[in-house]
Amino acid sequence: MPTPTSHRVIAWLRPDQVALARAVAEAANLSFAAAGSPSRGQATSIAGELGCPAIDDLRLAIATARLPAPDADDSPDRASIVWMLDPGDFATSPTDDDTSALLAARERGVRIASLEPIPASALALGGPGLAGEEPPPARPTDSIRLVPLIRFSAAYRNATDIVQSLIPPRLLVHEAWATPTEGSLGARLFAAMDLVVALMGEPETIDAAYVGPKAAGLHTLPGESLRDLHGDLTVNMRFPDSRAACLALSNQAGRFNRSTTVIGNAGRLRIFEDGFEWTDPAGQKLDESRPASRRRGSPPPDHAASTLADAISRLLEPGQPDAAPVNIESALVLSQTTLLSARTGQAESPSSVRRMAGIA
């Protein structure tokens, strides 16, 4: 029986993500209402490991999910949040059924979180319910929170005032490393582009290089969707006023970790998973927030679990102030431009992708 302060979650995940889901649930005080999987035949086994009923239809689970009742009803459709660690084929290119499910969940007050971007391509922005002129949260996909986003992390929140003093930055450098368990390369790319849009705006050109997960000696190309994109990626961006940004991303790089460097007239700010460091243009340290060094030989911190637990906890707490809303359209357009550049081998313009997607 969940504790009075716990939140119930419906989880949709692969077998390799069970340990991560369990660690996040423990850190965020979540209990599993139900669990299913996009991996055929795995729902019962996964649900058994998480100690909850199994489900086999994600769209139905989203459409019928209801907030927990005051009488502590523990039926599998009672949950505060639906968490998609791997959405499978859900809303890859959103359909009317996807839209209806998301609208039903929003009307009942159920939150939706995903490790993967939804939709998975800028070319889907013209799909049903997505390209309307009404502002968020009128569009169904605006009710989905991609987790984790660097802009909503604890370290970034603590450095918000310093970030504002550096806007607009001359240079932004962002690195994000993970394993496939924590999400696709597409998830790392979308989150990075959300940061770029918020701090830098949209670049004039994007020049990207992609390395597939088993590409030694081979020249591989990414697909046109962020879903199921795996490997390594470097991205260089040029802005119209001589500013620049660069990204190095991978979901084949071992332990989850992200770092961001912002350089502007007020100096250099480096944001890590566990804090930040700010130095002035002369190199003098102005501010710092980092934990004491770990003892040699102690296990490394599980940044993936702690970061996801923080993100989901804040999503479930009403009235929590957050950074500016996610500009899904711009982040998807920049991500799509990156994939296009990696395929063509030359710099590409976001304006070209906007015309291709019919959202110029």
Side-chain angles (χ1 to χ4, degrees), residues 9 19 35 41 71 86 89 115 145 157 159 163 173 178 185 197 207 209 241 251 297 305 315 321 323:
V9 57
D71 59 358
D86 184 342
D89 62 358
L115 257 64
R145 171 68 65 84
R157 296 196 305 268
V163 171
V173 179
L185 176 61
V197 171
D207 194 348
D241 50 0
N251 79 328
L315 183 58

Side-chain angles (χ1 to χ4, degrees), residues 321-335:
D322 260 333
V326 177
N327 188 328
I328 295 176
E329 179 181 300
S330 289
L332 274 177
V333 166
L334 299 194
S335 299

Side-chain angles (χ1 to χ4, degrees), residues 49-288:
E49 291 189 66
L50 297 177
C52 62
I55 55 173
D56 59 10
D57 190 325
L58 176 60
R59 287 175 183 81
L60 180 62
I62 293 174
T64 58
R66 300 173 294 160
L67 291 176
D71 59 358
D73 177 6
D74 60 356
S75 58
D77 63 343
R78 293 284 190 180
S80 299
I81 185 169
V82 177
W83 181 23
M84 297 176 283
L85 288 83
D86 184 342
D89 62 358
F90 178 78
T92 302
S93 295
T95 65
D96 288 336
D97 289 342
D98 299 330
T99 298
S100 297
L102 292 170
L103 288 174
R106 190 170 71 198
E107 288 171 359
R108 294 187 176 97
V110 176
R111 305 299 180 94
I112 310 286
S114 175
L115 257 64
E116 300 296 333
I118 296 176
S121 168
L123 304 180
L125 288 171
L130 298 178
E133 297 180 357
E134 296 184 49
R139 296 172 299 185
T141 50
D142 289 318
S143 61
I144 302 173
R145 171 68 65 84
L146 180 74
V147 293
L149 289 174
I150 184 65
R151 287 196 304 120
F152 297 106
S153 69
Y156 191 98
R157 296 196 305 268
N158 292 336
T160 297
D161 290 343
I162 303 172
V163 171
Q164 292 302 314
S165 73
L166 291 165
I167 291 178
R170 296 194 308 272
L171 176 66
L172 172 67
V173 179
H174 179 70
E175 299 179 351
W177 316 118
T179 69
T181 297
E182 291 104 27
S184 68
L185 176 61
R188 306 280 77 80
L189 176 58
F190 181 94
M193 287 308 186
D194 167 69
L195 179 67
V196 169
V197 171
L199 295 185
M200 308 283 286
E202 289 197 11
E204 279 189 331
T205 60
I206 296 177
D207 194 348
Y210 168 76
V211 181
K214 298 179 180 179
L218 299 175
H219 180 60
T220 56
L221 296 175
E224 295 183 351
S225 171
L226 298 178
R227 195 73 55 85
D228 298 323
L229 178 67
H230 302 282
D232 318 311
L233 189 66
T234 62
V235 188
N236 286 303
M237 287 168 272
R238 294 180 175 84
F239 293 79
D241 50 0
S242 299
R243 294 177 298 125
C246 60
L247 312 174
L249 314 169
S250 176
N251 79 328
Q252 307 289 313
R255 193 168 66 247
F256 182 93
N257 187 58
R258 301 166 300 175
S259 64
T260 303
T261 301
V262 184
I263 299 177
N265 293 336
R268 182 186 71 190
L269 173 66
R270 299 188 69 198
I271 303 175
F272 310 94
E273 293 291 354
D274 57 359
F276 66 85
E277 180 185 76
W278 180 27
T279 57
D280 68 16
Q284 297 298 312
K285 188 177 296 184
L286 298 175
D287 197 1
E288 182 179 27

Side-chain angles (χ1 to χ4, degrees), residues 8-19:
R8 287 167 58 80
V9 57
I10 297 172
W12 192 257
L13 66 163
R14 303 187 309 269
D16 65 288
Q17 296 174 310
V18 169

